[in-house]
């Protein structure tokens, strides 16, 4: 793995921090100003977003589980506490003592002649035991042949990760809430794959030749496996956070376009028109049916009697009188509001009739 010292990180932070921090603050203030100018209410998580969040959760869990040693190839130098310069016979003699019945496996017997040299052992720490054991045409004199053989295996977890990202951001599963992050998700997945391949091909695989203690060896293949799982897990968690924040209108809100607002208003008007049409049909049925008409007329007679009796009660009469005398209720204001309401309801129809008559 590429070693980065603490002093290097501090230098990068002190160099890039003053340049990046003002830009981040500016982006945040711009986002806040835009959110205040076009406030959109926070909404519950849409039902179609649960599935992509579950997909990202499963992908994150599998990536983190894959970092455990139980799912990694055995490192014979760690298992036997051997140095890189340990003779081959001594190394595999130690290895046989930790095998069942102290017998080397078939894979051990295939690997034994392939890591007899220091160069092969250096490549073993870089590409892992499966590449050294099963590659039929790889040569220690041409280390890139090991990379070519390992390339599909390096890409496989990232291809599976890209499939998970594609499912989580597909319009058929996540709708427009997830589809808006599709490009970013694909770029993140491709970036992780490119980073691992770049670090592997540019790794100084000969650096371990200068190490004489077993605990100081850089086990690049096993370290990269851990960082791969952590990177995929962090990417999935970040994408899930972005998807949750944007779909609930907490952050990264895209205001609806004019066409979308017009379409929503048209749907509301069509819905209201349909309900008014249904109400008109019900009213016509009630008026035309004698029994229903009698029930309606009886209801309004009873309603008039109840209201008349209520208004004739002493407490109600005194309450109305006190309200009128104290000025809490203005008859003129009530009449004016009633006139405006009536004009608003029938004014348009009257104007249309007058224009048609002229």
């Amino acid at each position: 793995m590429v070693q980065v010292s603490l002093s290097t990180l501090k230098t990068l932070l002190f160099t890039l921090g003053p340049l990046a921090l003002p830009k981040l603050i500016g982006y945040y203030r711009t986002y806040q100003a835009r959110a205040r100018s076009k406030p959109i209410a926070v909404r519950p998580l849409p039902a179609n977003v649960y599935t992509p969040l579950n997909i990202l959760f499963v992908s994150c869990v599998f990536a983190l589980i894959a970092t455990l040693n139980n799912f990694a190839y055995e490192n014979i130098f760690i298992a036997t506490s051997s140095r890189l310069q340990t003779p081959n016979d001594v190394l595999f003699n130690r290895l046989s003592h930790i095998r069942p019945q102290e017998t080397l496996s078939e894979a051990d017997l295939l690997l034994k002649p392939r890591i007899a040299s220091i160069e092969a052992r250096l490549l073993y720490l870089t590409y892992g035991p499966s590449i050294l054991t099963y590659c039929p045409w790889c040569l220690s004199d041409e280390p890139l042949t090991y990379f070519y053989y390992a390339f599909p295996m390096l890409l496989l977890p990232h291809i599976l990760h890209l499939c998970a990202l594609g499912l989580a951001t597909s319009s058929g599963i996540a709708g427009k809430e997830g589809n808006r992050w599709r490009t970013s998700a694909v770029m993140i997945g491709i970036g992780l794959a490119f980073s691992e391949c770049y670090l592997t091909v540019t790794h100084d695989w000969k650096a371990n030749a200068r190490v004489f203690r077993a605990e100081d060896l850089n086990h690049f293949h096993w370290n990269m496996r851990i960082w791969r799982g952590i990177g995929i897990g962090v990417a999935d968690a970040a994408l899930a956070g972005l998807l949750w924040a944007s779909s609930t209108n907490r952050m990264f809100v895209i205001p609806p376009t004019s066409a979308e607002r017009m379409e929503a208003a048209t749907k509301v008007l069509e819905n209201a028109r349909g309900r008014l049409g249904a109400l008109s049909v019900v009213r016509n049925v009630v008026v035309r049916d004698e029994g229903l008409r009698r029930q309606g007329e009886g209801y309004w007679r009873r309603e008039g009697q109840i209201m008349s009796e209520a208004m004739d009660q002493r407490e109600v009469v005194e309450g109305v009188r006190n309200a009128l005398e104290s000025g809490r209720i203005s008859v003129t204001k009530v009449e004016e509001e009633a006139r405006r309401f009536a004009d608003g309801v029938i004014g348009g129809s009257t104007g249309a009739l007058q224009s048609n008559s002229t």
Side-chain angles (χ1 to χ4, degrees):
M1 192 67 186
V2 177
Q3 303 293 330
V4 180
S5 64
L6 183 61
S7 61
T8 304
L9 291 176
K10 289 182 178 180
T11 303
L12 289 174
L13 287 176
F14 283 114
T15 304
L16 301 179
L19 299 176
L21 187 60
K23 291 184 178 294
L24 293 176
I25 295 175
Y27 291 147
Y28 177 76
R29 289 178 177 174
T30 302
Y31 164 75
Q32 291 292 336
R34 188 179 301 173
R36 293 192 194 98
S37 62
K38 295 181 179 179
I40 298 179
V42 175
R43 63 175 181 175
L45 188 68
N48 61 327
V49 180
Y50 283 99
T51 300
L53 289 182
N54 290 332
I55 292 174
L56 293 173
F57 174 76
V58 171
S59 175
C60 178
V61 169
F62 272 102
L64 295 179
I65 290 177
T67 62
L68 300 178
N69 291 331
N70 297 337
F71 302 95
Y73 287 108
E74 182 186 39
N75 188 334
I76 62 175
F77 291 98
I78 294 179
T80 60
S81 302
S82 300
R83 298 182 301 111
L84 199 66
Q85 295 79 11
T86 302
N88 212 32
D89 292 334
V90 176
L91 175 63
F92 281 88
N93 185 38
R94 294 175 181 176
L95 185 62
S96 64
H97 288 302
I98 62 175
R99 290 287 185 258
Q101 300 179 356
E102 296 188 357
T103 304
L104 295 175
S105 64
E106 183 178 351
D108 296 333
L109 295 176
L110 289 175
L111 179 64
K112 184 176 180 180
R114 294 175 180 266
I115 61 169
S117 64
I118 293 295
E119 290 77 9
R121 295 184 179 190
L122 293 173
L123 293 168
Y124 173 91
L125 296 178
T126 303
Y127 294 101
S130 64
I131 306 300
L132 269 292
T133 303
Y134 299 109
C135 181
W137 42 266
C138 297
L139 299 174
S140 301
D141 297 336
E142 299 180 8
L144 280 179
T145 56
Y146 290 93
F147 175 77
Y148 298 148
Y149 187 82
F151 186 68
M153 299 180 64
L154 293 177
L155 288 183
L156 179 59
H158 297 286
I159 292 175
L160 296 176
H161 183 224
L162 282 171
C163 291
L165 295 178
L167 287 175
T169 57
S170 64
S171 57
I173 295 178
K176 65 178 183 180
E177 289 84 2
N179 190 252
R180 62 175 292 196
W181 298 106
R182 192 174 184 84
T183 302
S184 301
V186 171
M187 294 300 295
I188 290 174
I190 294 176
L192 289 174
F194 176 80
S195 299
E196 181 172 358
C197 293
Y198 175 78
L199 291 175
T200 302
V201 75
T202 58
H203 171 65
D204 185 10
W205 59 278
K206 292 184 178 181
N208 282 321
R210 299 183 292 272
V211 176
F212 296 97
R213 296 195 305 172
E215 58 270 19
D216 293 336
L217 289 174
N218 177 17
H219 305 276
F220 179 83
H221 172 75
W222 289 267
N223 293 337
M224 183 61 71
R225 182 185 60 85
I226 295 174
W227 285 112
R228 179 202 303 142
I230 293 175
I232 291 176
V234 170
D236 290 339
L239 182 59
L242 293 174
L243 186 57
W244 173 82
S246 61
S247 60
T248 55
N249 292 338
R250 284 178 168 82
M251 293 182 68
F252 311 107
V253 179
I254 298 178
T257 62
S258 301
E260 291 175 344
R261 291 197 297 268
M262 185 174 296
E263 183 181 358
T266 303
K267 289 181 179 179
V268 172
L269 291 175
E270 289 178 352
N271 189 18
R273 181 181 177 183
R275 294 189 177 186
L276 289 174
L279 180 61
S280 176
V281 171
V282 173
R283 179 62 180 169
N284 288 335
V285 172
V286 172
V287 172
R288 294 175 185 273
D289 187 87
E290 184 177 355
L292 294 176
R293 186 171 64 251
R294 287 177 184 175
Q295 291 182 6
E297 292 173 352
Y299 168 79
W300 288 113
R301 280 196 299 270
R302 289 193 301 273
E303 182 70 14
Q305 292 174 1
I306 294 173
M307 291 301 297
S308 177
E309 293 174 358
M311 295 300 296
D312 290 339
Q313 292 181 2
R314 182 178 178 182
E315 293 84 357
V316 176
V317 173
E318 290 180 357
V320 172
R321 184 186 299 115
N322 291 335
L324 293 173
E325 290 176 355
S326 63
R328 287 181 298 169
I329 297 178
S330 175
V331 177
T332 305
K333 185 176 180 181
V334 172
E335 292 178 348
E336 180 66 22
E337 290 179 355
R339 186 184 64 79
R340 280 193 220 149
F341 178 77
D343 290 342
V345 172
I346 65 174
S349 302
T350 305
L353 291 175
Q354 290 177 355
S355 62
N356 291 334
S357 63
T358 55

